[in-house]
Amino acid sequence: ACVGGSGLQACLSAAQAAGLSASALPAFCVQDPGNPHYFVVKSRPAAGWSQGDECYAQGGGVAPYGGKACVGGSGLQACLSAAQAAGLSASALPAFCVQDPGNPHYFVVKSRPAAGWSQGDECYAQGGGVAPYGGKACVGGSG
């Protein structure tokens, strides 16, 4: 018989009692650019939801874009709750506020921890997804 339990907490407790260090699968609530009010639970920390992406499927497993219905929710908090109910350890995507050297009073939200804002950089785009330098408007702010 496998070590397990009925529910995530029971499984984690059973694993610990067996001398194992267990955790829930990592998951990331990501905004769907096609429906900016909806967040999808993905297995990889990558912005957007399109061809080539995979989500955690309702009922278990993973599903490709356009496949089975995904775990998710309307808004970040609903997505995080749905992921937790599915036994996943979810978080929002990591983001970094970086000062724009061309406009020192403005900060851009980037997906990587690198200073500056110039050719070759990407930011989180307003409305979802990522955008290259000089592309779509970025999430960010003054002050």
Side-chain angles (χ1 to χ4, degrees), residues 21-137:
S21 176
S23 63
L25 289 172
F28 302 90
C29 285
V30 176
Q31 189 177 34
D32 178 356
N35 181 359
H37 300 291
Y38 195 79
F39 286 73
V40 175
V41 181
K42 292 175 62 176
S43 58
R44 292 189 195 103
W49 177 236
S50 61
Q51 200 64 40
D53 286 335
E54 289 182 333
C55 70
Y56 284 106
Q58 293 178 9
V62 293
Y65 176 80
K68 297 180 189 175
C70 299
V71 175
S74 294
L76 178 60
Q77 291 306 318
C79 179
L80 293 170
S81 295
Q84 184 177 17
L88 303 166
S89 177
S91 64
L93 288 175
F96 305 91
C97 290
V98 177
Q99 190 175 32
D100 178 356
N103 182 356
H105 300 289
Y106 192 78
F107 286 77
V108 175
V109 182
K110 292 174 57 174
S111 57
R112 294 189 237 296
W117 178 235
S118 61
Q119 199 66 36
D121 285 337
E122 289 183 333
C123 69
Y124 286 109
Q126 292 178 10
V130 294
Y133 177 80
K136 295 181 188 175

